[in-house]
Amino acid sequence: MKKVILTAMAALLAASVFAAKPKTIKVGIINNDPNESGYRTANDRDMKNTFTKKNGYQASFAYSLKNDEQIAAAKKFIQDEVDYLLISAAGTSGWNNVLKDAQDAGVRVILFDRTIDAPDSLYEASIVSDMAQEGKTAVDWLASQKLPVYNVIHIQGVMGSAAQIGRSGALDKKVKSDKNWNIVTQQTASWNAETAQQIVQAVIDSGKKFNVIYAENDDMAKGAVAALDKANISHGVGKDVIIMGFDCNKWALEELLKKNWNYDGQCNPFQASYIDKIIKAGKAPSPKTVIMEEKGFDAAKITKADVDKYGI
């Protein structure tokens, strides 16, 4: 009789332990190519360090710089019956149908890094940078330099991405409103350093005057500077050409510290902990959109402590 009671107790204990074991959360993470930039590498690393088996997740990853490929990946994750879709969209449009499919399938959607053009009823939360504010902060800083005339080489990111729209929009607005602001050329380098170098080299070869390079990420600013160096054109604090980038890669902030560049706008890649908390809480935040805190850095004021703290 005693043996039967002990066996029953052991069975109850085992059942209790089994019942207490938390359910593994399946997430499908759709991101841009991690080789796109230092920002993207840091963002992808942050996601992989957070959505681990040890932290209660079964994570699958898909990467593309193309909207249609990302949407195809989303459909596949829905078929695989993930619990959550985490999306950093390559482009802002075209997402409504697949998000409705996710909702119908009981898959919760959380946007990260970038906004999309879709009703907020189709997603649980949006953990993003305010790209329009990033652009405004940068353009306001440039206006504060009080140049007699602004002749700007504008190097854009992937067209249609939230980062490109926000960072371009602020500059376009300023050029339209102020007669002493001019665009020498405005072309996309799709976040690529080599393409940016070619764009700047073409302007140099044309003989057009310029005194500002507004590049929408650090890698493109780096490529632009390579063209200037090749042509022996000075750049940075007190020099011929103002250099502006975005993302705050550590190596880029070091260029500010050396006074070789003038400005770098922060784009905070560390969204994973915010998403983890929302998932573990089991409910959408209020408001749904969480804006990452971000800064702009001026070469005249940046410190080594800033580089160490904010460099990615």
Side-chain angles (χ1 to χ4, degrees):
M1 181 69 177
K2 187 176 181 180
K3 183 176 180 181
V4 172
I5 292 172
L6 289 173
T7 302
M9 288 178 65
L12 286 169
L13 181 62
S16 175
V17 170
F18 180 78
K21 185 178 179 181
K23 173 181 176 288
T24 298
I25 302 167
K26 291 179 66 176
V27 294
I29 302 174
I30 298 172
N31 209 339
N32 291 261
D33 183 349
N35 297 312
E36 172 198 81
S37 63
Y39 168 89
R40 188 61 54 191
T41 302
N43 180 258
D44 181 54
R45 183 170 57 244
D46 187 43
M47 291 288 166
K48 286 180 175 176
N49 288 342
T50 299
F51 296 102
T52 62
K53 185 177 180 180
K54 184 178 180 180
N55 198 24
Y57 293 98
Q58 178 186 328
S60 301
F61 294 82
Y63 303 99
S64 180
L65 289 171
K66 297 180 179 179
N67 237 29
D68 56 346
E69 292 179 359
Q70 286 193 338
I71 289 169
K75 291 178 180 178
K76 176 67 166 56
F77 283 144
I78 293 168
Q79 291 172 358
D80 292 342
E81 299 183 338
V82 297
D83 299 302
Y84 283 86
L85 265 179
L86 313 182
I87 303 171
S88 175
T92 58
S93 61
W95 285 96
N96 283 25
N97 288 340
V98 74
L99 295 192
K100 287 176 183 175
D101 291 344
Q103 193 172 70
D104 292 343
V107 177
R108 297 182 177 184
V109 174
I110 296 178
L111 309 178
F112 68 95
D113 175 46
R114 297 173 172 181
T115 57
I116 60 172
D117 296 329
D120 65 7
S121 60
L122 294 178
Y123 53 84
E124 189 94 348
S126 180
I127 317 300
V128 293
S129 295
D130 187 338
M131 304 297 188
Q133 183 59 47
E134 287 179 6
K136 183 178 185 304
T137 300
V139 171
D140 286 350
W141 174 86
L142 184 54
S144 75
Q145 303 308 294
K146 299 189 183 304
L147 304 181
V149 63
Y150 290 83
N151 292 319
V152 184
I153 293 178
H154 181 193
I155 307 175
Q156 297 170 293
V158 171
M159 301 304 291
S161 67
Q164 178 273 314
I165 291 170
R167 295 169 191 173
S168 291
L171 182 59
D172 287 343
K173 183 177 180 180
K174 188 66 174 175
V175 170
K176 189 175 181 180
S177 67
D178 288 38
K179 291 182 179 179
N180 65 326
W181 286 60
N182 309 297
I183 296 294
V184 176
T185 190
Q186 184 180 61
Q187 297 183 55
T188 179
S190 299
W191 313 123
N192 183 267
E194 289 76 15
T195 306
Q197 182 174 351
Q198 292 166 8
I199 290 170
V200 175
Q201 187 61 55
V203 175
I204 293 170
D205 292 343
S206 75
K208 294 178 182 177
K209 293 182 179 180
F210 61 92
N211 57 357
V212 177
I213 293 178
Y214 182 99
E216 291 182 357
N217 82 344
D218 290 339
D219 287 303
M220 296 189 299
K222 184 178 182 179
V225 166
L228 299 183
D229 287 342
K230 186 177 179 182
N232 294 316
I233 297 172
S234 69
H235 51 83
V237 178
K239 301 299 177 60
D240 292 332
V241 181
I242 289 174
I243 304 298
M244 302 177 68
F246 289 86
D247 288 350
C248 289
N249 287 280
K250 189 170 185 178
W251 56 263
L253 293 183
E254 286 171 346
E255 290 300 309
L256 266 71
L257 198 61
K258 295 173 187 174
K259 306 292 189 286
N260 293 331
W261 292 18
N262 302 77
Y263 176 91
D264 207 26
Q266 185 186 21
C267 192
N268 190 337
F270 303 115
Q271 298 118 20
S273 63
Y274 292 80
I275 298 170
D276 178 47
K277 288 177 183 176
I278 291 168
I279 292 174
K280 296 292 177 61
K283 61 180 181 179
S286 182
K288 279 189 173 185
T289 299
V290 177
I291 303 296
M292 303 296 291
E293 182 180 351
E294 295 174 333
K295 301 174 179 287
F297 292 94
D298 183 335
K301 299 176 182 178
I302 195 169
T303 66
K304 180 64 165 60
D306 289 330
V307 175
D308 293 338
K309 182 176 180 179
Y310 296 102
I312 60 174

